[in-house]
Structure formats: C-alpha cells, structure tokens
Amino acid sequence: MALINWESALEVGVPSIDADHRNIVAWINDIHAMGAYNFPHKTLIYVIDSLCDYVEHHFRREERAMAACAYNGMEAHRRAHEGFEAHVHKLREQIISDQNAVIGEDVIKGVVNWLADHITGLDALMAVAIRGDAAALAAAEAVPPSKHLILART
C-alpha cells in the first residue's frame, strides 16, 4: 500500500515540476514498501544520498524558474527548501555516523507531510507565476534530468 498517493491536488500545472513531484512520491513509496528502515547500512546511505540529490535537483529547478519570472515569494520559498535540505542532510549524517541507524516510519511520514504541504502551499503559489511566464517555463524545462531519475509509477 502506498504511503502517499499521487492525485490531481498535487499537480501544479508545470510539467517538469509535476514530473519531479511524481518521481519523489514514487521514490518515497518505494522506500516505504521496501522497508527502508531495514536496509543494510551501505544501501541505506545510497538511498538517502540518491533521494537528497534528486530533491536538491528539483529545488534548483524550481528556483531557476522563480528567478526567471522574478517571483515575489522566491526568498521565502528558497528558505523552505534550505530548511528541508538541512533536515535531510542532518538525517544523512546521523545515518553515516551510526552503523545501526534506521529510517523509521515516523521519519518517512514526516517527509511525506512536508512534501504534501509544500506542494499544495508554496509550490501551488509559485506555479501560478511560472505558468504565466514563458521564460520561467523554459527555465524549468531547461534543467537536465537528475542522475537519479526514476520513472514515476504513481
């Protein structure tokens, strides 16, 4: 059973951003389904590194698009990204330093809640500005795929 289901309420109407969001949702569901909290330590590090990289790649896509349309809420949005990245990097450091580290169900659910709130809140507002600006749409689409690209299955 999926931890988070992709639904139209999570679409912001910017194709590349929606594709990233679908991939992140699929990734989180896969981690949950595989019981990431029971992965061998080396695999757990790879999983968290890959997810961190993909999320950071996605945030840079959004930030480039916001810069292209001089989005008024860009600084607050960027601070939200920075806060989430700091949280995930702290988790990553804890995992690296502790051979017995696990990603608990509560951590995964926390990521899901943050993601859903962020998409339906700040991202939805941002997308209105991006959809109305050809340069911003082009900037979002110009970001090459992440090296950790997955195909969304949700």
Side-chain angles (χ1 to χ4, degrees), residues 89-140:
H89 282 285
K90 182 178 177 184
L91 174 63
R92 179 187 178 276
E93 292 306 314
Q94 290 170 344
I95 291 168
I96 288 172
S97 66
D98 181 0
Q99 282 288 109
N100 298 312
V102 296
I103 297 178
E105 184 89 9
D106 57 329
V107 172
I108 294 175
K109 286 182 179 177
V111 169
V112 167
N113 291 337
W114 185 92
L115 180 66
D117 290 347
H118 184 77
I119 291 171
T120 59
L122 290 176
D123 281 356
L125 293 171
M126 167 204 69
V128 172
I130 292 172
R131 287 193 313 263
D133 189 294
L137 282 170

Side-chain angles (χ1 to χ4, degrees), residues 66-87:
M66 287 187 283
C69 67
Y71 177 58
N72 199 23
M74 183 172 173
E75 284 310 309
H77 202 127
R78 188 186 333 233
R79 282 192 304 275
H81 288 171
E82 288 170 355
F84 185 74
E85 288 177 85
H87 172 74

Side-chain angles (χ1 to χ4, degrees), residues 29-39 103 108:
N29 283 330
D30 284 351
I31 290 169
H32 182 256
M34 292 184 293
Y37 36 89
N38 291 322
F39 279 164
I103 297 178
I108 294 175

Side-chain angles (χ1 to χ4, degrees), residues 27 44-55 146 148:
W27 196 302
L44 188 56
I45 292 171
Y46 175 77
V47 167
I48 196 76
D49 279 347
S50 299
L51 184 57
C52 285
D53 178 71
Y54 194 89
V55 168
S146 167
H148 295 288

